[in-house]
Amino acid sequence: MVRSPRTQRVLLLLLAGCLVVSVASFAATATGQLAWQQRDGLAFTPTDLSVSDGDEPTVAIEFTVTNPTGVPVTIRPAVIGVFDGSAEAENRLVSARTARLADGSGTFRVPARGSTETTVLVDLPRENVERTRAAIADGRAVVSGTVTAELRDRRFSADV
Amino acid sequence: MSKEDTSVWHAALNPASASYGTRGERVVAALVVGVLAGVVAGTAMYNVRQSAVAPAWTSDLLSGTLVLVSGALVKLLCEQLRTSLLSLATAVVLGLAVAGATAVAPYVLLDIATLGGLALLPELRDVITLAVLGQVPLQFTGYLLAIVYDGATA
């Protein structure tokens, strides 16, 4: 027995509903994939470095992090160091390599097509405090390293 | 609107009736339902393939359910057996085509080098694997469930 016109319309609407949900999730996922393909566009610009002298000297690095992709990215500082003059020669490393966020949290989020500012702390051996201060004052201090970034459920490393 | 246009619209909006109609009406019904179901399957399987960059609400379960339901709707909307099989074949082929196109599209849109097509091989392997192990079995299972439903309620 052929279905009634009303039932046929309802079934067609159900199929159209499936199509709407499927295309909407496709669009959201495609945005994520395009963002993943453009992840190299994530940019870290050190805007300020300052040395704090105390029981445990540290160098505070202020960053502006720009995310040109269409999806927010969560970032966890991993290995960031301060170098005197060049990051190429290992003996020019003046700080420790392990970085942490100044606010004590483990991660920070950069909005889609936006930027955020954050401060990262890196431990500084006491014997390098003056050398680091001089490098910053003379404009020779170079910040280099990598961070772990997470775009939805996918992780990658980004150079600083 | 000509009589032929009216007939096409009528067949598109009443595919179950059209599936028993003239050859033209059967083809229209099969293509309309098959194309819709194929796009559902292709886009849903894309979400499964790219689940790592998909938002949390687009789970594999949701995508699988959409493909299963679209397979069942093929049979429920195209009641006549041969018309429904044509519609199902259209849905399978179009689903594969959409999945293949979505695998290639990022490379074309973002002008990413494919190394003479080599970079596309893993993508196309995933498309074929998901089609063979996911899309086609789910569509076919949905289709069979609809036959069972029709049989039970006849």
Side-chain angles (χ1 to χ4, degrees), chain B residues 88-144:
Chain B
L88 184 66
T90 307
V92 167
V93 171
L94 195 72
L96 263 171
V98 170
T102 55
V104 176
Y107 291 88
V108 177
L109 291 175
L110 299 174
D111 200 18
I112 300 169
T114 61
L115 306 174
L118 276 177
L120 293 175
L121 291 180
E123 303 277 358
L124 295 176
R125 176 202 60 202
D126 291 347
V127 166
I128 293 167
T129 305
L130 270 176
V132 172
L133 300 178
Q135 180 200 325
V136 176
L138 282 170
Q139 282 178 317
F140 197 64
T141 304
Y143 182 87
L144 291 178

Side-chain angles (χ1 to χ4, degrees), chain A residues 22-42:
Chain A
S22 170
V23 169
S25 60
F26 169 80
T29 306
T31 306
Q33 193 193 359
L34 285 178
W36 173 257
Q37 304 279 18
Q38 294 172 314
R39 64 193 181 280
D40 289 346
L42 202 63

Side-chain angles (χ1 to χ4, degrees), chain A:
Chain A
M1 191 177 70
V2 181
R3 276 174 242 290
S4 69
R6 182 183 150 79
T7 308
Q8 293 182 51
R9 298 283 162 79
V10 170
L11 290 172
L12 261 182
L13 279 177
L14 188 58
L15 185 55
C18 287
L19 187 68
V20 169
V21 174
S22 170
V23 169
S25 60
F26 169 80
T29 306
T31 306
Q33 193 193 359
L34 285 178
W36 173 257
Q37 304 279 18
Q38 294 172 314
R39 64 193 181 280
D40 289 346
L42 202 63
F44 297 80
T45 312
T47 52
D48 190 43
L49 283 95
S50 58
V51 173
S52 74
D53 202 353
D55 290 343
E56 293 177 358
T58 55
V59 56
I61 310 162
E62 284 180 30
F63 281 106
T64 298
V65 187
T66 309
N67 174 18
T69 73
V71 174
V73 175
T74 303
I75 291 171
R76 182 188 303 276
V79 182
I80 298 174
V82 179
F83 296 79
D84 181 2
S86 165
E88 306 290 316
E90 197 60 26
N91 61 352
R92 296 196 172 196
L93 177 71
V94 292
S95 71
R97 278 183 174 276
T98 307
R100 62 185 184 277
L101 291 174
D103 61 10
S105 61
T107 60
F108 65 98
R109 195 172 166 88
V110 191
R113 293 193 184 88
S115 62
T116 191
E117 292 187 358
T118 191
T119 303
V120 166
L121 297 179
V122 181
D123 288 335
L124 202 57
R126 183 162 296 285
E127 62 272 21
N128 284 344
V129 169
E130 288 312 316
R131 185 183 176 188
T132 308
R133 279 207 173 106
I136 294 170
D138 295 347
R140 287 182 284 112
V142 174
V143 177
S144 181
T146 56
V147 297
T148 304
E150 202 169 292
L151 194 150
R152 290 189 174 148
D153 287 340
R154 218 162 171 181
R155 283 189 180 181
F156 62 99
S157 287
D159 290 336
V160 173

Side-chain angles (χ1 to χ4, degrees), chain B residues 38-86:
Chain B
V39 175
V40 169
T43 50
M45 293 323 287
Y46 168 80
N47 288 329
V48 173
R49 193 163 53 81
Q50 296 291 341
S51 57
V53 290
W57 63 272
T58 63
S59 63
D60 290 355
L61 181 66
L62 173 72
S63 299
T65 305
L66 286 171
V67 179
L68 185 83
V69 170
S70 71
L73 285 171
V74 164
K75 181 68 182 87
L76 295 175
L77 280 166
C78 294
E79 273 191 86
Q80 202 266 341
L81 184 67
R82 285 175 65 183
T83 310
S84 68
L85 284 173
L86 175 63

